[in-house]
Amino acid sequence: MVQKNMEISYEAKLADRAEALKDFFGGDDKEATSVEKLELLDQFESLMIKYRAAVREVTTKLEVLNDELSSFAERNPIEGIQSRIKRPYSIAKKLKARGLPVAVESIQKNLNDVAGIRVICPFISDIYDVADMLLSQEDVLLIEKKDYIEKPKENGYRSLHLIVEIPIFLSKGKENMRVEIQIRTVAMDFWASLEHKIYYKFEGHAPDYLEEELKACADMVDMLDAKMFSLNEEIMKINQDEMEAETAAEAQAELLAAAAAEKEK
């Protein structure tokens, strides 16, 4: 059974290598794989290992922040963390669209979003708090910031985008890698998922009425985020008032007990 699973895993790995070879370096399944192409494939896979390492580094930083903050708060500032590495086909397509050579050396030099992380937060304030805490770490270098919450895209898309550079440590030493981080609320993420489906369903040319409906939904998402934040602030204020009232009551009880003890003397 173990041997069979190992064989299946090996076959899956070969299939992935064949897909990468076909999508990124060209050719078809019937062509013989040259030594040159195999060397290029090895270079490609080595680069993908570095991107995966960079994703793990950033993900760990975010998880540690979430653990620390949730230990003394009543909620987590991060609801979820998702990550992905672009597929070979997507990388090649983006390089071609920019008029760049489809080559391994072009990837790290020209693309900042091969490694991507999506962070889902409960409230808009959490987005900026998490971003500030991550960027304050001395080994995290901010390369680019795009605030689509403050200035949404025309279609209504909202999210905070960061391109950061972080060190990864390999057997041959340290190397700096870039990662794109998208931070958004649960509502923003729900909207973006629907927009993504519509975009690919109609290959970027959705009917006007759908785009109008989607934009209207984006406005509703904005209002929902604002309303949920307001409700949360009210809840926190009530909790704070209750704690202060309880503290005051305990202090009053202590004073009365002290006064009663004094009279008995």
Side-chain angles (χ1 to χ4, degrees):
M1 185 67 177
V2 174
Q3 180 66 27
K4 186 177 181 181
N5 289 337
M6 288 177 65
E7 289 174 358
I8 293 172
S9 177
Y10 181 68
E11 289 174 1
K13 186 174 182 179
L14 286 179
D16 286 342
R17 288 172 65 91
E19 180 186 359
L21 193 64
K22 180 181 177 182
D23 288 345
F24 194 79
F25 300 107
D28 57 50
D29 298 333
K30 296 179 181 179
E31 285 185 358
T33 304
S34 67
V35 174
E36 181 183 3
K37 281 190 175 181
L38 283 174
E39 289 177 352
L40 289 172
L41 184 56
D42 285 341
Q43 292 174 21
F44 181 86
E45 290 183 337
S46 294
L47 182 58
M48 293 304 106
I49 287 172
K50 295 175 184 177
Y51 279 120
R52 287 195 290 272
V55 164
R56 284 195 290 270
E57 289 284 349
V58 176
T59 299
T60 299
K61 287 177 177 294
L62 291 166
E63 289 174 344
V64 169
L65 283 173
N66 199 39
D67 286 347
E68 178 197 0
L69 294 170
S70 63
S71 67
F72 58 83
E74 294 183 356
R75 63 180 182 83
N76 292 44
I78 297 176
E79 290 283 347
I81 302 171
Q82 303 165 3
S83 64
R84 63 102 181 98
I85 303 294
K86 274 188 180 295
R87 302 289 293 179
Y89 172 79
S90 298
I91 295 172
K93 185 178 179 181
K94 192 158 192 175
L95 288 171
K96 288 177 182 177
R98 294 186 178 184
L100 298 168
V102 180
V104 175
E105 56 268 20
S106 289
I107 301 173
Q108 195 171 354
K109 182 179 178 182
N110 298 293
L111 301 183
N112 289 329
D113 63 344
V114 175
I117 294 176
R118 183 177 303 153
V119 183
I120 312 301
C121 298
F123 305 106
I124 291 177
S125 59
D126 294 323
I127 292 175
Y128 294 106
D129 289 343
V130 169
D132 288 344
M133 286 182 285
L134 179 65
L135 295 175
S136 68
Q137 298 186 20
E138 61 182 15
D139 59 343
V140 178
L141 175 64
L142 177 65
I143 302 299
E144 183 178 81
K145 177 180 179 180
K146 291 183 179 179
D147 192 341
Y148 295 117
I149 299 172
E150 184 178 344
K151 293 181 180 179
K153 291 185 178 181
E154 289 185 7
N155 66 351
Y157 175 83
R158 291 174 170 86
S159 185
L160 179 65
H161 287 204
L162 307 173
I163 303 294
V164 301
E165 190 171 272
I166 62 158
I168 63 168
F169 299 88
L170 304 168
S171 59
K172 295 182 180 179
K174 182 179 77 170
E175 186 166 344
N176 292 324
M177 300 296 296
R178 293 186 178 183
V179 178
E180 181 190 50
I181 306 170
Q182 299 177 0
I183 315 178
R184 58 181 66 149
T185 64
V186 177
M188 291 175 191
D189 189 57
F190 179 74
W191 182 94
S193 297
L194 178 60
E195 190 273 341
H196 184 78
K197 289 179 183 178
I198 291 174
Y199 180 88
Y200 281 96
K201 170 67 177 177
F202 296 98
E203 298 181 345
H205 302 285
D208 290 343
Y209 78 92
L210 277 181
E211 291 186 350
E212 291 170 3
E213 287 288 337
L214 199 60
K215 177 62 171 67
C217 287
D219 294 336
M220 293 178 194
V221 164
D222 187 40
M223 289 187 288
L224 176 62
D225 275 329
K227 186 62 177 177
M228 295 301 289
F229 177 75
S230 176
L231 286 172
N232 185 65
E233 290 292 296
E234 286 295 323
I235 293 170
M236 291 177 65
K237 185 177 183 303
I238 291 170
N239 288 341
Q240 183 65 30
D241 290 345
E242 288 177 348
M243 288 176 62
E244 290 177 357
E246 184 178 342
T247 301
E250 289 175 355
Q252 182 66 22
E254 289 177 1
L255 286 173
L256 291 174
E262 187 67 26
K263 285 182 180 180
E264 291 177 359
K265 290 182 179 180

